[in-house]
Amino acid sequence: MTDSTEFKKQAHRFIDWMADYFENIEQYPVKSQVQPGEIFRQLPSEPPEDGEDMNDIFNDFEKIIMPGITHWQSPNFFAYFPANSSFPSLLAEMLTATLGAQCMKWETSPAAAELEEMVMNWLQKMTGLPDGFQGVLQDTASTATLVAILSAREKLSGFRVNEKGFSELQDPRVYCSSETHSSIEKAVKIAGIGRQNLVKVKVDPYFRMDPEALHKAIRKDIEAGKKPVCIVATLGTTGSTAIDPLKEITQISKKYNIWLHVDAAFAGSALILPDYRWMIEGIEEVDSFVFNPHKWLFTNFDCSAYFVKDRNTLLNTLQIVPEYLKTKNQGQVNDYCDWGIQLGRRFRALKLWFVIRSFGLAGLRDKLLYHIYLANKLAHNIMVHEDFELMAPVNFNVVCFRYLPPGEDNEEAIDSFNENLLQKINASGKIYLTHTRLNGKYVLRMSIGQTNVREEHVEQAWELLMLKAEGRGG
Ligand SMILES: *Cc1c(COP(=O)(O)O)cnc(C)c1O
């Protein structure tokens, strides 16, 4: 298909399909019900020699692909963290795809670089990050955290690991809590630090990093001649959305002059609510900070906001300018390919700009407050129910809980009951939840953050949970 009249015709049809999808989204099973291999087997094993008709391709999309989709934009999606989206974001993504611009250097699309700089300034103000931080969009928090750990490594080694490898930096150490996201471990492996040099500090009863234990671990390492590279604090852990005590952690990072990275991938969005700003008390002492507008700020995946205090360390760590990438205005403009790992970059700032303008700050705050309200209401229902147990504080919009079958006090039996309950609930297709383990216990986890979720959805989910738990729903 190369002719623009045909493109227009198909595009109109696609837009209709997209709008209908959102209108009818609750009719699909939230979690795809296909078996492993079921989609693969329906696909031809050879690519077509001759081009096919778009109508045929689209029919196969509906027939083969759609049944294998898990519907993240369904208001009945309560799994993981949301990866929510919105109409303004989708509209911007269509434009981004149409322009197809590679936004690696300023010159390769000045508007992309300058809009990115401004929307990052907006995000900085929206979240209450102090002046002095500079932002860049990354694809994911995993990448941003890797960039942070690489920067920390280079700063500590005087940029010598980049030059010579690890010959002069022996026993580098990174610290996080036992509840920290797996992306930190991955980054430590990729950065050459080694998994055994990742120190997982114990947490308090609310799953927050114990700063005293952190301090001890660092002191012990220094005494043994090891080299602390970086501390990673989490605001909103993936299991239970616990909030590490940042202020106390900054006192330790400052005392020993260790890079402090804050992973607020999910919960950073909550900083647009002034009531949550207490979480970043001490932020002036932080070296880098990441949060994902693609999780809870209505901007579709991928869009991760990374902020650094010392831009020069970031650039010195990553910048490479081969002849074919040299431009005249080097140094006067932001060439964002030097601020991250990939050379090629999508024009991600556009969707963020559309979202922030279309919702307005008030609109964004209202949505988040509503989700938090819904989560607290559910938590209340769980607390007053005799046989359900709340398993962690509800800090944002995630509720961790389990069912206690009457008369059962064997922990393993309770675990397997809840595991079965989760399977039954998800197999119903009506809602989708996931789980975690807290203090070794199997815990159901419900995150309420989809763009279009309403009170009725959460109420229906709660009814279904009670029904299935009590064995009334089969
Ligand atoms: C989701 C999450 C991540 C990973 O985010 P990606 O953008 O998918 O890499 C990292 N840390 C925390 C705390 C998260 O919740």
Side-chain angles (χ1 to χ4, degrees):
M1 194 173 76
T2 49
D3 129 51
S4 69
T5 317
E6 173 66 7
F7 171 68
K8 199 183 259 186
K9 202 177 103 200
Q10 291 292 354
H12 281 294
R13 178 178 162 212
F14 279 33
I15 296 291
D16 284 339
W17 184 92
M18 287 157 68
D20 291 346
Y21 172 69
F22 282 103
E23 273 183 22
N24 302 322
I25 198 162
E26 290 184 54
Q27 290 166 22
Y28 297 91
V30 189
K31 180 175 191 254
S32 170
Q33 307 280 312
V34 300
Q35 297 302 314
E38 203 174 315
I39 306 296
F40 190 81
R41 272 196 301 277
Q42 295 177 69
L43 300 166
S45 52
E46 302 296 328
E49 183 61 30
D50 298 316
E52 297 184 68
D53 190 274
M54 188 50 68
N55 295 315
D56 295 338
I57 304 173
F58 186 73
N59 286 344
D60 282 345
F61 165 74
E62 285 201 296
K63 196 173 95 217
I64 302 173
I65 303 302
M66 282 304 282
I69 294 297
T70 290
H71 298 279
W72 285 71
Q73 304 313 319
S74 164
N76 296 310
F77 182 96
F78 302 109
Y80 306 102
F81 282 133
N84 66 23
S85 178
S86 62
F87 290 139
S89 179
L90 294 185
L91 292 174
E93 279 286 60
M94 292 197 288
L95 300 181
T96 298
T98 303
L99 300 173
Q102 268 291 353
C103 307
M104 43 200 185
K105 314 217 41 141
W106 178 85
E107 231 178 68
T108 62
S109 273
E114 295 187 12
L115 182 64
E116 182 159 338
E117 187 174 349
M118 188 51 81
V119 289
M120 294 311 284
N121 288 349
W122 283 10
L123 282 186
Q124 179 183 3
K125 292 185 176 138
M126 285 162 66
T127 53
L129 293 184
D131 287 348
F133 277 92
Q134 308 223 26
V136 55
L137 288 172
Q138 306 275 355
D139 51 6
T140 59
S142 301
T143 306
T145 293
L146 173 59
V147 165
I149 288 178
L150 292 172
S151 306
R153 186 193 74 187
E154 287 315 294
K155 188 168 184 202
L156 179 68
S157 76
F159 302 92
R160 281 207 284 278
V161 177
N162 266 354
E163 292 304 321
K164 305 182 177 180
F166 275 92
S167 54
E168 291 171 20
L169 178 62
Q170 300 289 311
D171 297 318
R173 304 283 269 180
V174 172
Y175 308 84
C176 64
S177 89
S178 56
E179 289 289 316
T180 304
H181 189 267
S182 56
S183 56
I184 284 66
E185 189 165 319
K186 204 184 237 182
V188 161
K189 290 202 286 181
I190 298 171
I193 286 168
R195 198 157 65 151
Q196 289 180 5
N197 288 314
L198 178 62
V199 182
K200 293 191 177 173
V201 175
K202 75 173 165 72
V203 294
D204 73 7
Y206 299 111
F207 311 105
R208 302 174 296 202
M209 185 192 278
D210 174 347
E212 198 43 49
L214 171 70
H215 195 178
K216 271 193 199 137
I218 290 173
R219 250 194 341 239
K220 193 170 138 226
D221 279 352
I222 291 175
E223 278 161 19
K226 296 179 179 176
K227 304 282 183 327
V229 173
C230 181
I231 301 168
V232 181
T234 309
L235 305 179
T237 58
T238 312
S240 73
T241 65
I243 303 165
D244 286 345
L246 190 63
K247 183 82 194 290
E248 285 154 274
I249 295 170
T250 60
Q251 280 153 10
I252 301 166
S253 65
K254 202 174 163 190
K255 175 166 181 192
Y256 296 97
N257 196 16
I258 305 170
W259 187 288
L260 177 55
H261 174 61
V262 172
D263 177 4
F266 167 69
S269 296
L271 291 170
I272 68 168
L273 303 170
D275 279 356
Y276 281 88
R277 296 272 169 84
W278 63 266
M279 294 195 296
I280 52 167
E281 204 194 327
I283 189 78
E284 307 74 28
E285 305 296 339
V286 164
D287 295 284
S288 52
F289 178 94
V290 63
F291 88 100
N292 286 348
H294 73 229
K295 272 182 170 157
W296 199 20
L297 214 60
F298 317 103
T299 309
N300 65 294
F301 190 86
D302 49 2
C303 187
S304 185
Y306 179 61
F307 290 91
V308 275
K309 207 155 65 183
D310 177 5
R311 183 178 78 155
N312 289 338
T313 295
L314 174 68
L315 293 181
N316 286 340
T317 301
L318 299 175
Q319 190 173 42
I320 293 180
V321 191
E323 192 55 39
Y324 51 82
L325 287 178
K326 284 191 180 144
T327 57
K328 280 229 174 65
N329 37 48
Q330 197 94 36
Q332 297 162 29
V333 294
N334 289 338
D335 290 326
Y336 285 116
C337 62
D338 298 331
W339 297 51
I341 290 172
Q342 306 90 341
L343 171 64
R345 307 178 77 247
R346 306 181 62 231
F347 185 5
R348 295 194 188 88
L350 193 70
K351 58 188 171 186
L352 207 44
W353 192 49
F354 272 45
V355 167
I356 298 169
R357 292 184 64 183
S358 175
F359 278 85
L361 295 186
L364 293 171
R365 284 190 211 108
D366 282 352
K367 277 272 182 209
L368 265 52
L369 283 172
Y370 184 52
H371 295 162
I372 292 165
Y373 156 77
L374 294 178
N376 280 291
K377 198 159 173 241
L378 174 70
H380 174 80
N381 286 335
I382 287 169
M383 275 191 294
V384 300
H385 193 291
E386 275 195 342
D387 304 323
F388 278 89
E389 185 183 11
L390 197 65
M391 300 300 281
V394 178
N395 292 327
F396 306 96
N397 63 341
V398 173
V399 186
C400 294
F401 61 98
R402 66 177 182 170
Y403 184 72
L404 294 168
E408 184 62 77
D409 56 10
N410 178 296
E411 281 295 337
E412 268 172 43
I414 298 171
D415 280 359
S416 68
F417 184 94
N418 281 279
E419 212 171 324
N420 284 331
L421 176 61
L422 182 70
Q423 304 254 313
K424 270 196 271 183
I425 296 268
N426 290 341
S428 78
K430 290 182 179 144
I431 60 174
Y432 181 24
L433 314 181
T434 46
H435 81 282
T436 189
R437 272 188 192 271
L438 295 174
N439 286 330
K441 293 170 183 165
Y442 191 94
V443 170
L444 305 186
R445 209 178 147 280
M446 189 154 156
S447 77
I448 303 169
Q450 209 286 318
T451 313
N452 303 309
V453 65
R454 290 192 310 272
E455 193 141 15
E456 69 202 60
H457 300 110
V458 180
E459 273 167 14
Q460 285 160 15
W462 172 233
E463 290 294 327
L464 186 72
L465 275 160
M466 289 191 292
L467 201 72
K468 295 278 183 195
E470 289 157 9
R472 291 181 283 127

